Amino acid sequence: MTTSTQAPATVPGTSVPGAKGHTDGAWAPIQTRSERARSYDPADFELPTGREVNWKHTPIDRIAPLLEDAAGTTGAVSFAISGADAVEVGPKRVGDSPRGEVFTPEDRPAAIAWQQATEATHLRIPADIELVEPVVVDITGNGADGRSALAHAHLIIEAAPNARGVVLLRHRGEAHFAENVEIIVRDGAHLTVITVQEWSDASVHAASHQARVDRDGTLRHIVVSFGGGLVRINPSVELAGPGSQGQLYGLSYSDSGQHLESQVYLFHKGRDTRGDVLYKGALQGAGARSVWIGDVLIGPDAVGTDSYEANRNLVLTDGARAESIPNLEIETGDIRGAGHASATGRFDDEQLFYLQSRGISEQEARRLVVIGFLSDIVQRIGIPALETELHAAIELELQEGAPE
């Protein structure tokens, strides 16, 4: 591993962010995730207009505070780390390894957060250690009365060779928050990273998660978004080492006026890699929105790959809308299998009829269908207390959305 004293301003080959060249000298918008420009300098990313492929599903006016290259408000967000007795915790400035080993911003909020977060927090699970309890990072926005404070952060989560552990990020309170999360899974390590968004309705949260998984390593990455006015979580996972695995799961529940978005990228780079992507969402209320864009790239050297991605959305009321776009690129024919799927719809009338025919009221039948639909993701979390809490949150959402 080579450590540089300063990260390069722009990744080679991306001197024209957001565009790619053709032999006739013309330029066309970047369409695939793998070709997007990446840079540590916010000036290399123009202010989005909403026509760009990676911004056209995001309400630009609402995310505007995170597009301005401005310093954050002192004390806007506070951090508390618990359960880290066996974990090494320390600050990392730009140029301090392993900051930047995996992470390179691919949009403007991430580049701004890279520059503004002068000290990153580094959590390292030592080699051959298995954590008994999850490491919990509580992130609390300290805005109030609809006046959300601006904050930026960069977090590095590293699992050393053959380490095993769970890191849980919990976001509460009120803030305008741009967050970078850099995840490194070394050889033979097994890491679970869970990010839970429980913000107030006035909060705006844009997070860029970038991960690399080395030989025989496994990353389970889970996104749970319930709170926040606008939440945009973009995970990017590179299965770099032979035999590496990535399990990317997501759960969202969008209420009236909420915009919950995830743009997921899984890059099969090494041979014999395994990928499983499943995001599920429920929506209710006027103006409830969810966006899921899934990109899977199977590279030319990723022989023996087995990969599948899917997104499922359940629209509970009129006025709610889910956008779902799965994409799959395959650059080698020597794979075990690859596929993608997407489905968005209302209640299954046959399921409701079956339950009602057995004496269950329509309202209770609808509740059972929604809980069963979302529990598929909840049960994959592996933290009983959090699973119980999320089941209760789903019940509360259903009660608040039930007709009077």
Side-chain angles (χ1 to χ4, degrees), residues 136-324:
V136 180
V137 182
D138 285 298
I139 303 166
T140 304
N142 297 316
D145 301 325
R147 297 189 300 274
S148 296
L150 178 63
H152 310 89
H154 189 98
L155 176 65
I156 306 161
I157 304 171
E158 179 184 4
N162 302 311
R164 291 175 176 265
V166 177
V167 178
L168 170 61
L169 313 179
R170 305 203 66 160
H171 303 84
R172 300 186 178 99
E174 187 171 315
H176 289 154
F177 188 43
E179 177 187 40
N180 295 337
V181 181
E182 184 168 2
I183 303 169
I184 308 169
V185 183
R186 306 290 186 188
D187 291 353
H190 291 247
L191 176 66
T192 297
V193 176
I194 306 166
T195 176
V196 181
Q197 285 61 243
E198 304 168 287
W199 298 105
S200 71
D201 291 342
S203 295
V204 177
H205 182 199
S208 179
H209 291 216
Q210 293 186 17
R212 189 192 69 219
V213 187
D214 294 335
R215 178 185 293 271
D216 296 325
T218 298
L219 172 65
R220 298 179 72 247
H221 186 276
I222 303 172
V223 177
V224 179
S225 296
F226 277 36
L230 186 152
V231 173
R232 175 178 149 126
I233 312 294
N234 291 351
S236 173
V237 177
E238 178 185 294
L239 300 179
S244 56
Q245 299 185 47
Q247 300 165 3
L248 283 63
Y249 304 131
L251 170 66
S252 65
Y253 203 122
S254 181
D255 278 326
S256 179
Q258 277 188 298
H259 178 99
L260 305 180
E261 178 175 341
S262 285
Q263 297 189 24
V264 183
Y265 179 43
L266 179 61
F267 175 25
H268 292 267
K269 184 178 181 180
R271 61 183 301 130
D272 298 318
T273 55
R274 302 288 182 272
D276 182 26
V277 181
L278 177 61
Y279 274 60
K280 286 191 170 186
L283 304 92
Q284 68 182 13
R289 296 290 183 269
S290 71
V291 174
W292 179 87
I293 302 174
D295 289 282
V296 172
L297 170 61
I298 300 175
D301 300 320
V303 298
T305 285
D306 190 0
S307 184
Y308 194 82
E309 66 167 345
N311 177 229
R312 303 280 188 263
N313 299 294
L314 188 58
V315 180
L316 305 178
T317 63
D318 293 334
R321 187 180 73 206
E323 298 177 65
S324 180

Side-chain angles (χ1 to χ4, degrees), residues 97-163:
S97 179
R99 181 172 179 176
E101 180 181 332
V102 170
F103 194 95
T104 310
E106 63 174 8
D107 62 21
R108 185 174 174 88
I112 293 171
W114 174 273
Q115 298 286 354
Q116 295 294 339
T118 54
E119 277 197 355
T121 300
H122 181 210
L123 303 177
R124 182 179 184 272
I125 306 173
D128 303 310
I129 292 293
E130 182 173 358
L131 301 182
V132 177
E133 298 292 335
V135 177
V136 180
V137 182
D138 285 298
I139 303 166
T140 304
N142 297 316
D145 301 325
R147 297 189 300 274
S148 296
L150 178 63
H152 310 89
H154 189 98
L155 176 65
I156 306 161
I157 304 171
E158 179 184 4
N162 302 311

